[in-house]
Amino acid sequence: MRKAYKRTLLIAGLAAVGCVAGWLLAESGKEKLKPAEELQATDGNGGKAPAVRGQVGGPSGREPLQWWDDRLRDAERAGQWSVAADYAYRKAAFYRSEGMEKEAAEWDAASDAYWARDEVKDKRFYDGVPSETNAANASAISPYVSVAVEEGRELAKFEPRSGVYLGMFGIFDWPSVEKTFGRYHPIGLTYSGWRKDENDTRNYFPTRLVDSVKAAGGGAVQIGWEPQYGLDSVKDDDYVRSFARQAKEAGIPIFLRYASEMNGAWVPWYDEPAKYVEKFRLISRIMKEEAPNVAMVWSPNFWPPDNVGDYYPGDEYVDWVGFSLYATPLFDGKEDFSKNLIDYFIPLYNRYAHKPIMISEGAVSHYYRPAEKNYAKWAEGQLGNMYGFLPRLFPQVKAMTYFNMTKARTETLKGDHLYDLKENPLMFDLYRRLIGSDYFLSKVEQGSRTAENVRYVPLESAAGLAGKRKLFAYVRLPGDAQPRSVAVLQGGRKLAETFEMPWEVELDFSALDPLLPLEFVAYNGKREELARKTVTLANGGSR
């Protein structure tokens, strides 16, 4: 597995001890979202910060201001000065985009004052491109536009027509998931070992999580079923049949991720592709006979990619394709920001997009424990890549489960990387905002769809555009930094500007001049241009 993303000992350790069986009760109900309290913002030195102007709505795009104000106040109350500094700087960037230089200067000063109080002095990724990046990729903008989803395509078991199911690992009192993140997640991830010992005929179906999901309002459970004693222990016997019957009795959709990450040397079922295919097909046949509510998920790790195809059991036996997909800032023990998880995902997606795809587990590391180094801002951008861009860029991605391993559990298992969303306020805020989109689904149901029922295609190839459409711009900067805003212009006139990932706006194409190209411009907080893309509309004039 690529060292930049290694958490192999952590996952293997989970399998060896029965995959978090002893953790289930301990973690129940811990994560609660505290409501924001009203607090007068200061400049970080005890004085008042610039007056809050958090208007919502309006043609000038003021929607994020109130959100930023609330986050800034939360950060200040918690003494999270770098977070407060970042939100103050976002406000400065917004006012600068409006030509309000006095207000921009005031918020710049407030941001500097917050930074002065913070112990973290690493300000890379907070504005523009890190100067010491080792990335070779050039700046680029790729605009996409929403189009109606095709209605005729046959769907796989539990596949939604449009949108993405939300999933979560790490919280097992399911009603608390919505309380924590502000949105119901219909898929709960858990793991089940292959008996407690090799001769144990009892099964350990995760009834507790199933009951918790059902009590919270329904949904589905994804089960990582792991034959930790090796593939030879997998047989058509009472143990397997009993597990299948309990899956049926659960009465809700079950995504059975049997023997996942088989392409990685950290699991006992590695390096026997022919036997793996044989055993996967066996389990698939048994589930079809015993448990029609089970969808079989074939789920390799994204790394290494070169041996994945050897383990594919065939379309007849696979309902969904899943991938483990992680982002960390290291390669061979050194910082490396030259690639992101989207880069690694592209060839895998292209190979298996004939099936519905889930990110069966995935996360972003924001803290490297061996070096005690914080990558909070970089990680915010990676989470935006994961939940803002990835499901829109790849429309066959139909489910995503965040591996929210708590800090306490990570430390107990001596894991190198910290993925816990609540330990990074920037990621926690972004995650809550992104999953509020209509694009994410709160109910697992055959043929489920979003209210808009759209997918996204490259703007350059979209013809016949009319009426209101959503557009987003995937911005790729050296070092995988993120801009502060992206504006859309036509004929030198700004049509819209967005200040939050995934850089999405809405335009009325019926009101546009079809003969004039659209320009997408990415800016840093100082209003310096970072990248530009000009797109000639496919339904206007010559190309």
Side-chain angles (χ1 to χ4, degrees), residues 108-142:
D108 278 338
S111 179
D112 290 342
Y114 285 127
W115 270 114
R117 298 190 66 177
D118 197 85
E119 295 180 358
V120 179
K121 301 303 180 185
D122 185 356
K123 296 175 68 174
R124 295 175 301 170
F125 297 99
Y126 280 86
D127 195 30
V129 178
S131 59
E132 62 276 10
T133 180
N134 61 352
N137 53 300
S139 300
I141 301 179
S142 302

Short mmCIF file of all heavy atoms in Angstrom, two decimals, residues 108-142:
data_model
loop_
_atom_site.label_atom_id
_atom_site.label_comp_id
_atom_site.label_asym_id
_atom_site.label_seq_id
_atom_site.Cartn_x
_atom_site.Cartn_y
_atom_site.Cartn_z
N ASP A 108 -8.82 41.82 7.67
CA ASP A 108 -7.43 41.37 7.57
C ASP A 108 -6.71 41.58 8.89
O ASP A 108 -5.97 40.71 9.37
CB ASP A 108 -6.70 42.14 6.47
CG ASP A 108 -6.94 41.58 5.08
OD1 ASP A 108 -7.31 40.38 4.98
OD2 ASP A 108 -6.78 42.32 4.10
N ALA A 109 -6.91 42.74 9.50
CA ALA A 109 -6.26 43.05 10.77
C ALA A 109 -6.76 42.12 11.87
O ALA A 109 -5.98 41.66 12.71
CB ALA A 109 -6.52 44.51 11.14
N ALA A 110 -8.06 41.85 11.86
CA ALA A 110 -8.61 40.92 12.85
C ALA A 110 -8.00 39.54 12.68
O ALA A 110 -7.64 38.86 13.66
CB ALA A 110 -10.12 40.86 12.73
N SER A 111 -7.86 39.09 11.43
CA SER A 111 -7.26 37.79 11.17
C SER A 111 -5.82 37.74 11.68
O SER A 111 -5.40 36.78 12.32
CB SER A 111 -7.31 37.48 9.67
OG SER A 111 -6.72 36.23 9.38
N ASP A 112 -5.05 38.79 11.42
CA ASP A 112 -3.66 38.84 11.88
C ASP A 112 -3.60 38.78 13.41
O ASP A 112 -2.71 38.14 13.99
CB ASP A 112 -2.98 40.12 11.40
CG ASP A 112 -2.74 40.12 9.90
OD1 ASP A 112 -2.78 39.03 9.29
OD2 ASP A 112 -2.52 41.22 9.33
N ALA A 113 -4.54 39.44 14.06
CA ALA A 113 -4.55 39.46 15.52
C ALA A 113 -4.88 38.07 16.08
O ALA A 113 -4.29 37.64 17.08
CB ALA A 113 -5.55 40.48 16.03
N TYR A 114 -5.80 37.38 15.45
CA TYR A 114 -6.08 36.01 15.88
C TYR A 114 -4.86 35.12 15.70
O TYR A 114 -4.51 34.32 16.57
CB TYR A 114 -7.26 35.43 15.08
CG TYR A 114 -8.62 35.96 15.47
CD1 TYR A 114 -9.47 36.50 14.51
CD2 TYR A 114 -9.07 35.90 16.78
CE1 TYR A 114 -10.72 36.96 14.84
CE2 TYR A 114 -10.33 36.36 17.13
CZ TYR A 114 -11.15 36.90 16.15
OH TYR A 114 -12.40 37.35 16.48
N TRP A 115 -4.21 35.26 14.54
CA TRP A 115 -3.01 34.45 14.29
C TRP A 115 -1.93 34.71 15.32
O TRP A 115 -1.19 33.78 15.71
CB TRP A 115 -2.46 34.73 12.89
CG TRP A 115 -3.01 33.86 11.81
CD1 TRP A 115 -3.79 34.23 10.76
CD2 TRP A 115 -2.82 32.45 11.68
NE1 TRP A 115 -4.11 33.15 9.98
CE2 TRP A 115 -3.53 32.04 10.53
CE3 TRP A 115 -2.16 31.49 12.43
CZ2 TRP A 115 -3.56 30.71 10.10
CZ3 TRP A 115 -2.19 30.16 12.02
CH2 TRP A 115 -2.87 29.79 10.86
N ALA A 116 -1.82 35.93 15.78
CA ALA A 116 -0.79 36.27 16.76
C ALA A 116 -0.98 35.50 18.07
O ALA A 116 -0.01 35.30 18.82
CB ALA A 116 -0.80 37.78 17.03
N ARG A 117 -2.19 35.08 18.34
CA ARG A 117 -2.46 34.36 19.58
C ARG A 117 -2.35 32.85 19.42
O ARG A 117 -2.46 32.11 20.41
CB ARG A 117 -3.85 34.70 20.09
CG ARG A 117 -4.03 36.18 20.43
CD ARG A 117 -5.34 36.42 21.15
NE ARG A 117 -5.36 35.79 22.46
CZ ARG A 117 -6.37 35.90 23.33
NH1 ARG A 117 -7.45 36.59 23.00
NH2 ARG A 117 -6.32 35.29 24.49
N ASP A 118 -2.15 32.37 18.21
CA ASP A 118 -2.18 30.94 17.97
C ASP A 118 -0.79 30.34 18.07
O ASP A 118 0.20 30.94 17.65
CB ASP A 118 -2.76 30.65 16.57
CG ASP A 118 -3.20 29.21 16.43
OD1 ASP A 118 -4.34 28.92 16.83
OD2 ASP A 118 -2.39 28.39 15.96
N GLU A 119 -0.72 29.13 18.62
CA GLU A 119 0.56 28.44 18.75
C GLU A 119 0.99 27.80 17.43
O GLU A 119 2.16 27.50 17.22
CB GLU A 119 0.46 27.36 19.83
CG GLU A 119 0.21 27.93 21.23
CD GLU A 119 0.11 26.84 22.27
OE1 GLU A 119 0.20 25.66 21.89
OE2 GLU A 119 -0.06 27.17 23.45
N VAL A 120 0.04 27.54 16.54
CA VAL A 120 0.36 26.95 15.24
C VAL A 120 0.76 28.06 14.27
O VAL A 120 -0.04 28.92 13.94
CB VAL A 120 -0.85 26.18 14.68
CG1 VAL A 120 -0.52 25.59 13.31
CG2 VAL A 120 -1.27 25.09 15.65
N LYS A 121 2.00 28.03 13.86
CA LYS A 121 2.48 29.09 12.97
C LYS A 121 2.60 28.66 11.52
O LYS A 121 3.03 29.44 10.67
CB LYS A 121 3.86 29.59 13.47
CG LYS A 121 3.84 30.12 14.89
CD LYS A 121 2.84 31.26 15.05
CE LYS A 121 2.83 31.79 16.47
NZ LYS A 121 1.77 32.82 16.67
N ASP A 122 2.22 27.42 11.22
CA ASP A 122 2.27 26.92 9.86
C ASP A 122 1.04 27.43 9.11
O ASP A 122 -0.07 26.92 9.28
CB ASP A 122 2.29 25.40 9.87
CG ASP A 122 2.45 24.80 8.48
OD1 ASP A 122 2.47 25.57 7.49
OD2 ASP A 122 2.56 23.57 8.36
N LYS A 123 1.24 28.46 8.28
CA LYS A 123 0.11 29.09 7.58
C LYS A 123 0.01 28.68 6.12
O LYS A 123 -0.70 29.30 5.35
CB LYS A 123 0.23 30.61 7.69
CG LYS A 123 0.13 31.11 9.13
CD LYS A 123 0.36 32.61 9.24
CE LYS A 123 -0.73 33.41 8.60
NZ LYS A 123 -0.57 34.86 8.83
N ARG A 124 0.72 27.59 5.75
CA ARG A 124 0.57 27.09 4.39
C ARG A 124 -0.88 26.66 4.17
O ARG A 124 -1.56 26.25 5.08
CB ARG A 124 1.50 25.90 4.16
CG ARG A 124 2.98 26.22 4.22
CD ARG A 124 3.79 24.94 4.09
NE ARG A 124 3.45 23.98 5.15
CZ ARG A 124 3.87 22.72 5.15
NH1 ARG A 124 4.58 22.25 4.15
NH2 ARG A 124 3.55 21.92 6.16
N PHE A 125 -1.30 26.77 2.95
CA PHE A 125 -2.65 26.38 2.50
C PHE A 125 -3.73 27.38 2.95
O PHE A 125 -4.88 27.21 2.60
CB PHE A 125 -3.03 24.98 2.99
CG PHE A 125 -2.14 23.90 2.44
CD1 PHE A 125 -1.10 23.40 3.20
CD2 PHE A 125 -2.33 23.43 1.16
CE1 PHE A 125 -0.27 22.43 2.69
CE2 PHE A 125 -1.50 22.44 0.65
CZ PHE A 125 -0.46 21.95 1.41
N TYR A 126 -3.37 28.39 3.71
CA TYR A 126 -4.38 29.34 4.14
C TYR A 126 -4.64 30.44 3.13
O TYR A 126 -5.62 31.15 3.22
CB TYR A 126 -4.01 29.95 5.50
CG TYR A 126 -4.34 29.03 6.64
CD1 TYR A 126 -3.44 28.05 7.05
CD2 TYR A 126 -5.56 29.09 7.29
CE1 TYR A 126 -3.75 27.18 8.07
CE2 TYR A 126 -5.88 28.23 8.32
CZ TYR A 126 -4.97 27.28 8.70
OH TYR A 126 -5.28 26.40 9.71
N ASP A 127 -3.77 30.57 2.15
CA ASP A 127 -4.06 31.52 1.08
C ASP A 127 -3.18 31.23 -0.11
O ASP A 127 -1.98 31.47 -0.09
CB ASP A 127 -3.84 32.96 1.53
CG ASP A 127 -4.48 33.95 0.56
OD1 ASP A 127 -5.49 33.60 -0.07
OD2 ASP A 127 -3.97 35.07 0.44
N GLY A 128 -3.81 30.68 -1.15
CA GLY A 128 -3.07 30.47 -2.38
C GLY A 128 -2.24 29.20 -2.34
O GLY A 128 -2.57 28.22 -1.69
N VAL A 129 -1.12 29.21 -3.03
CA VAL A 129 -0.30 28.03 -3.25
C VAL A 129 0.90 28.05 -2.32
O VAL A 129 1.61 29.05 -2.24
CB VAL A 129 0.18 27.98 -4.72
CG1 VAL A 129 1.07 26.78 -4.96
CG2 VAL A 129 -1.02 27.96 -5.65
N PRO A 130 1.17 26.96 -1.59
CA PRO A 130 2.35 26.91 -0.73
C PRO A 130 3.62 27.13 -1.55
O PRO A 130 3.80 26.52 -2.59
CB PRO A 130 2.31 25.51 -0.14
CG PRO A 130 0.90 25.05 -0.30
CD PRO A 130 0.39 25.73 -1.52
N SER A 131 4.49 28.00 -1.07
CA SER A 131 5.69 28.35 -1.84
C SER A 131 6.65 27.18 -1.96
O SER A 131 7.39 27.07 -2.93
CB SER A 131 6.40 29.54 -1.18
OG SER A 131 6.77 29.23 0.16
N GLU A 132 6.67 26.27 -0.97
CA GLU A 132 7.63 25.18 -0.99
C GLU A 132 7.04 23.88 -1.50
O GLU A 132 7.55 22.80 -1.25
CB GLU A 132 8.21 24.95 0.42
CG GLU A 132 7.19 24.54 1.47
CD GLU A 132 6.48 25.74 2.08
OE1 GLU A 132 6.65 26.86 1.56
OE2 GLU A 132 5.77 25.56 3.07
N THR A 133 5.94 23.96 -2.23
CA THR A 133 5.32 22.74 -2.74
C THR A 133 6.25 22.01 -3.70
O THR A 133 7.03 22.62 -4.42
CB THR A 133 3.99 23.06 -3.46
OG1 THR A 133 3.45 21.82 -3.92
CG2 THR A 133 4.21 23.96 -4.65
N ASN A 134 6.16 20.68 -3.68
CA ASN A 134 6.96 19.88 -4.60
C ASN A 134 6.12 19.34 -5.75
O ASN A 134 6.50 18.41 -6.44
CB ASN A 134 7.63 18.71 -3.86
CG ASN A 134 6.60 17.78 -3.23
OD1 ASN A 134 5.41 18.09 -3.22
ND2 ASN A 134 7.06 16.66 -2.69
N ALA A 135 4.95 19.91 -5.93
CA ALA A 135 4.05 19.42 -6.98
C ALA A 135 4.46 19.96 -8.34
O ALA A 135 4.89 21.09 -8.49
CB ALA A 135 2.62 19.84 -6.68
N ALA A 136 4.30 19.11 -9.36
CA ALA A 136 4.65 19.53 -10.71
C ALA A 136 3.42 19.93 -11.52
O ALA A 136 3.56 20.47 -12.61
CB ALA A 136 5.37 18.38 -11.42
N ASN A 137 2.22 19.65 -10.99
CA ASN A 137 1.02 19.92 -11.77
C ASN A 137 0.75 21.42 -11.88
O ASN A 137 1.00 22.19 -10.96
CB ASN A 137 -0.19 19.22 -11.16
CG ASN A 137 -0.36 19.53 -9.68
OD1 ASN A 137 0.52 19.26 -8.89
ND2 ASN A 137 -1.49 20.10 -9.32
N ALA A 138 0.22 21.83 -13.01
CA ALA A 138 -0.10 23.23 -13.23
C ALA A 138 -1.50 23.54 -12.75
O ALA A 138 -2.31 22.65 -12.49
CB ALA A 138 0.03 23.55 -14.72
N SER A 139 -1.78 24.84 -12.62
CA SER A 139 -3.11 25.27 -12.21
C SER A 139 -4.12 24.95 -13.31
O SER A 139 -3.82 25.08 -14.50
CB SER A 139 -3.12 26.77 -11.93
OG SER A 139 -2.20 27.09 -10.89
N ALA A 140 -5.32 24.53 -12.92
CA ALA A 140 -6.34 24.19 -13.89
C ALA A 140 -7.71 24.33 -13.27
O ALA A 140 -7.89 24.11 -12.07
CB ALA A 140 -6.14 22.77 -14.42
N ILE A 141 -8.69 24.68 -14.09
CA ILE A 141 -10.09 24.76 -13.67
C ILE A 141 -10.91 23.90 -14.63
O ILE A 141 -10.79 24.05 -15.85
CB ILE A 141 -10.62 26.20 -13.67
CG1 ILE A 141 -9.80 27.08 -12.73
CG2 ILE A 141 -12.09 26.23 -13.28
CD1 ILE A 141 -10.26 28.53 -12.71
N SER A 142 -11.75 23.04 -14.08
CA SER A 142 -12.62 22.19 -14.90
C SER A 142 -14.07 22.45 -14.49
O SER A 142 -14.51 21.99 -13.44
CB SER A 142 -12.28 20.71 -14.69
OG SER A 142 -10.93 20.45 -15.02
#
